Amino acid sequence: MVRRIVVAKLYGLGYEVEEAEDGQEVLEILEEGEIPDLLITDSNMPRVNGLQLVRRLRESEDAALSLLPIIMLTARQSERDIIQGLETGLDDYVIKPFSPDELAARVQTVLWRSGKRRDSE
């Protein structure tokens, strides 16, 4: 349900969106050379969870992967969880339940900071 909301909001703003079931599928997509401008992940996923995914990407020797902007969208809201996520290398941390408009603003901000913001914005 949450993924559908995110996809609908981002499509509505003109973004191309590719979905993955879990962190392992994300890694497989990235290994094929399909590197997005931004990654939105959850912390609770099977096989490879969100923090494991972020660690692997940040440790990558491929600069495109190690610098990939990442937003965590998760129900985990303790101060410890947020700090751990940010220390792992997240660019932003959004707690569920969330406002789709706020998420859109955070996506635009992270893209802007990374130099990947679209010219039409």
Side-chain angles (χ1 to χ4, degrees), residues 42-43 49-56 72 84-85 88 90:
D42 195 339
S43 59
N49 71 38
L51 286 180
Q52 291 169 332
L53 175 61
V54 173
R55 279 188 199 101
R56 286 191 187 179
M72 178 77 71
Q84 183 180 25
T88 300
L90 291 170

Side-chain angles (χ1 to χ4, degrees), residues 1 10 15 47 54 57 72-73 80 83-84 101 104 110:
M1 179 69 161
L10 295 179
Y15 292 102
R47 298 195 295 171
V54 173
L57 294 175
M72 178 77 71
L73 179 59
R80 181 178 157 271
I83 291 170
Q84 183 180 25
D101 290 335
V110 169

Side-chain angles (χ1 to χ4, degrees), residues 54-119:
V54 173
R55 279 188 199 101
R56 286 191 187 179
L57 294 175
R58 294 298 181 240
E59 293 169 356
S60 175
E61 292 183 16
D62 182 337
L65 294 178
S66 67
L67 297 174
L68 177 64
I70 304 171
I71 297 174
M72 178 77 71
L73 179 59
T74 182
R76 299 183 67 115
Q77 58 184 312
S78 75
E79 181 179 41
R80 181 178 157 271
D81 290 326
I82 295 167
I83 291 170
Q84 183 180 25
L86 294 171
E87 288 178 343
T88 300
L90 291 170
D91 294 280
D92 205 347
Y93 196 101
V94 180
I95 298 169
K96 299 176 198 174
F98 66 99
S99 157
D101 290 335
E102 179 185 351
L103 177 63
R106 288 174 180 266
V107 164
Q108 291 172 347
T109 299
V110 169
L111 288 172
W112 175 75
R113 282 195 315 243
S114 70
K116 296 179 180 181
R117 188 169 185 173
R118 299 178 307 178
D119 293 334

Side-chain angles (χ1 to χ4, degrees), residues 7-19:
V7 168
K9 183 64 178 182
L10 295 179
Y11 269 135
L13 293 171
Y15 292 102
E16 290 181 30
V17 179
E18 183 166 349
E19 298 178 65

